[in-house]
Amino acid sequence: MEYILAPSILAADFKNLGCEMKKTEEKGAEYLHFDVMDGMFVPSISFGMPVLASICGATEQVMDVHLMIKEPIRYIEDFKKAGADLITIHLEACEDVHATIAKIRECGMKAGLSICPETDTEELAPYLKEIDMVLIMSVHPGFGGQSFIPESLSKIRRTRQMIAEQELSVDVEVDGGIYLTNVKDVLDAGANIIVAGSAVFKGDAGENTKNFMEILKSYE
């Protein structure tokens, strides 16, 4: 299993974003996490297709796009054109989850499915065979800098168990409140893709990425 770091640019200083992205790439972060928020599914508003299009050519990293928006099926083609490689949607935000996943695949991208902290892990079961990745939110989506919800560890373990029971090859990504001090707990629970925002971009992004990667590589 490959262990991957996905720095979340939501926490980055946009005055120096290109340089910061490059630091994370050079130190081994294979993904770049791109949080899209619409002010409806979550209270905050972030950024969208024009920003993604402007940065995707500045790095070879996988553009890991997390759509925290209502009915994301409306924008799948637009995000593909903007440079998305992997799109994660929220189970809670879609009227037809199957159709939305199918749309992502039709556009030639990998598909991820996320659940909020309040959503039961078992609700993922009908979709596991259709997706490449599950994203477990370990904070409430929409705000940066929150503390990790400890109950998320049992959700990660159960998700990994469900994937194994169906004999599938599905990544488990975790997003929210992850730092060098608790990342091993998340990995031990079964995650293999780690989203980190403040923990990477507050301070030296290159050094922080290097420290995360040393831990992740020790699990391979």
Side-chain angles (χ1 to χ4, degrees):
M1 183 185 301
E2 188 176 11
Y3 287 81
I4 295 168
L5 181 66
S8 173
I9 67 166
L10 192 64
D13 179 355
F14 271 61
K15 293 192 302 295
N16 304 304
L17 182 58
C19 178
E20 297 289 271
M21 287 165 48
K22 206 65 185 173
K23 286 181 182 179
T24 68
E25 182 180 20
E26 289 171 352
K27 296 300 181 180
E30 292 184 38
Y31 284 15
L32 202 67
H33 195 75
F34 191 87
D35 286 310
V36 181
M37 299 182 281
D38 64 356
M40 296 174 65
F41 179 64
V42 294
S44 301
I45 296 174
S46 59
F47 32 63
M49 290 82 77
V51 174
L52 178 62
S54 73
I55 68 170
C56 69
T59 174
E60 296 298 317
Q61 289 162 297
V62 171
M63 291 292 135
D64 173 24
V65 176
H66 178 194
L67 298 184
M68 290 175 273
I69 65 177
K70 285 186 175 294
E71 292 305 326
I73 195 169
R74 297 173 295 159
Y75 298 108
I76 299 302
E77 292 183 10
D78 293 324
F79 275 103
K80 169 63 176 177
K81 291 175 184 175
D85 298 299
L86 185 163
I87 288 184
T88 297
I89 58 169
H90 270 266
L91 184 151
E92 306 91 348
C94 302
E95 183 175 338
D96 190 333
V97 177
H98 291 292
T100 309
I101 293 169
K103 183 68 173 179
I104 296 170
R105 289 200 169 284
E106 286 169 13
C107 289
M109 295 175 288
K110 288 187 174 182
L113 183 62
S114 183
I115 54 172
C116 296
E118 299 83 4
T119 302
D120 193 293
T121 316
E122 304 302 319
E123 293 194 31
L124 292 165
Y127 310 103
L128 289 177
K129 292 181 180 178
E130 303 170 29
I131 60 177
D132 301 284
M133 185 179 79
V134 169
L135 169 54
I136 301 294
M137 291 300 301
S138 47
V139 296
H140 297 284
F143 301 98
Q146 297 179 66
S147 296
F148 184 88
I149 298 171
E151 291 78 13
S152 303
L153 294 174
S154 61
K155 297 182 77 170
I156 298 165
R157 283 190 287 268
R158 177 55 185 149
T159 300
R160 184 56 75 187
Q161 180 183 21
M162 291 163 61
I163 291 167
E165 287 171 352
Q166 295 193 36
E167 298 182 342
L168 300 172
S169 178
V170 176
D171 290 319
V172 177
E173 182 175 65
V174 182
D175 182 1
I178 301 177
Y179 293 85
L180 291 168
T181 52
N182 64 353
V183 66
K184 288 186 177 181
D185 294 334
V186 178
L187 296 168
D188 288 340
N192 69 298
I193 303 180
I194 300 296
V195 177
S198 300
V200 169
F201 289 110
K202 302 307 180 188
D204 187 324
E207 185 65 20
N208 292 335
T209 299
K210 175 177 173 288
N211 291 334
F212 266 109
M213 290 307 303
E214 286 176 354
I215 296 174
L216 266 63
K217 292 301 180 184
S218 73
Y219 278 76
E220 292 185 349

